[in-house]
Amino acid sequence: MGDGSLWVFAFGQAFYTLAIGQGYLVTYGSYIPRKTHVPRACITVALIETGIALLAGWMIFPFVFSFGLEPNEGTQLAFATLPRVFENMAAGYILSILFFSLFFAAAFSSCLAGLKIIIAAVTEEFKLKNWQGVILVSSLMLILGAASALSFTPMGLNIGGEPVLDVIDRIAGGNVIIFSGVMGATLFCWFVPPSRIRTVLGTGNRWWEWRIYLVGRFLPILVIGWIIITYALRQMGL
């Protein structure tokens, strides 16, 4: 628990799972009724998401250990290890179809939310119609995502001996979203006055207003300080 890199991975996974720092929440938030109690909704989503993640872990890792497989396979846990688990299970064929169908549905729905932000920006910036923006952005995403999609095929695309998907996941799915999420909260809370924050929270209780305001302002400073100290200690070999 004292390993700083472990906390970075944990926060990266939490930010990624909760769609923090990626633009998805802009899409989801645009459909929230104005009177919604936003802090309560955030807590509910976080608790449900964490509960589902724990249930998934309690389901998957016993299978992995019981078949003598390695749990630290990264993205290969889903695409290489779990198929071997299903292969050795009763009714594994049906379960594998169900698992990967739900896996695809979860990934696809998240992609739609993320693409909406990019499509809106592209259509507004280049004065395109919505369907033109959809085609342009979707085509670009297919091209950029091809290398990751081919990481675990016979082509075995990799960067420095590591699958492309793992490299992208480690950089964009961890460090980048932590930085963008923390910096986004920082900029919001330093430049938006508390009175305006209150109007979008859907609650008249100023307790939430000031907690969000203070945490958003000063937590990033603590995070940056912690990163600097961790880096300095690592350089000194401590």
Side-chain angles (χ1 to χ4, degrees), residues 164-180:
V164 175
L165 180 59
D166 283 354
V167 175
I168 299 298
D169 179 60
R170 186 181 69 253
I171 299 174
N175 300 334
V176 172
I177 61 173
I178 293 176
F179 177 79
S180 63

Side-chain angles (χ1 to χ4, degrees), residues 49-71:
E49 179 65 37
T50 302
I52 293 174
L54 290 173
L55 288 174
W58 292 333
M59 178 192 74
I60 292 174
F61 285 107
F63 286 140
V64 172
F65 289 127
S66 64
F67 288 104
L69 303 174
E70 292 296 326

Side-chain angles (χ1 to χ4, degrees), residues 5-186:
S5 61
L6 177 64
W7 288 95
V8 172
F9 286 130
F11 275 106
Q13 177 63 31
F15 275 45
Y16 179 82
T17 303
L18 294 171
I20 298 173
Q22 303 165 69
Y24 295 94
L25 297 181
V26 177
T27 303
Y28 299 147
S30 65
Y31 293 96
I32 294 178
R34 188 171 183 82
K35 294 184 179 180
T36 299
H37 193 296
V38 176
R40 186 184 301 151
C42 292
I43 292 173
T44 301
V45 170
L47 290 175
I48 293 174
E49 179 65 37
T50 302
I52 293 174
L54 290 173
L55 288 174
W58 292 333
M59 178 192 74
I60 292 174
F61 285 107
F63 286 140
V64 172
F65 289 127
S66 64
F67 288 104
L69 303 174
E70 292 296 326
N72 56 345
E73 292 289 337
T75 53
Q76 294 188 68
L77 183 64
F79 302 118
T81 303
L82 284 179
R84 293 169 60 189
V85 172
F86 289 128
E87 186 179 0
N88 291 279
M89 290 175 58
Y93 180 75
I94 298 175
L95 289 175
S96 64
I97 293 176
L98 179 62
F99 174 82
F100 284 106
S101 297
L102 294 174
F103 195 28
F104 174 79
F108 185 70
S109 61
S110 297
C111 286
L112 290 179
L115 284 174
K116 179 62 178 177
I117 303 300
I118 304 173
I119 291 170
V122 170
T123 53
E124 291 178 9
E125 181 68 24
F126 297 101
K127 311 299 182 184
L128 300 175
K129 295 181 179 179
N130 188 67
W131 66 269
Q132 294 174 324
V134 170
I135 293 176
L136 177 62
V137 173
S138 299
S139 300
L140 183 61
M141 291 299 103
L142 286 173
I143 295 172
L144 294 176
S148 297
L150 296 173
S151 297
F152 299 108
T153 64
M155 295 182 66
L157 296 184
N158 62 80
I159 299 176
E162 186 178 5
V164 175
L165 180 59
D166 283 354
V167 175
I168 299 298
D169 179 60
R170 186 181 69 253
I171 299 174
N175 300 334
V176 172
I177 61 173
I178 293 176
F179 177 79
S180 63
V182 171
M183 292 307 298
T186 304

Side-chain angles (χ1 to χ4, degrees), residues 163-234:
V164 175
L165 180 59
D166 283 354
V167 175
I168 299 298
D169 179 60
R170 186 181 69 253
I171 299 174
N175 300 334
V176 172
I177 61 173
I178 293 176
F179 177 79
S180 63
V182 171
M183 292 307 298
T186 304
L187 294 173
F188 182 82
C189 291
W190 275 100
F191 291 99
V192 178
S195 57
R196 294 194 63 185
I197 293 178
R198 187 192 318 137
T199 62
V200 299
L201 290 180
T203 174
N205 191 335
R206 299 190 68 179
W207 187 92
W208 286 107
E209 169 195 335
W210 281 103
R211 294 309 181 279
I212 292 174
Y213 191 69
L214 293 176
V215 170
R217 274 196 164 195
F218 298 108
L219 180 61
I221 297 175
L222 296 176
V223 171
I224 293 173
W226 173 71
I227 292 174
I228 293 174
I229 293 173
T230 302
Y231 178 78
L233 292 175
R234 184 176 298 174

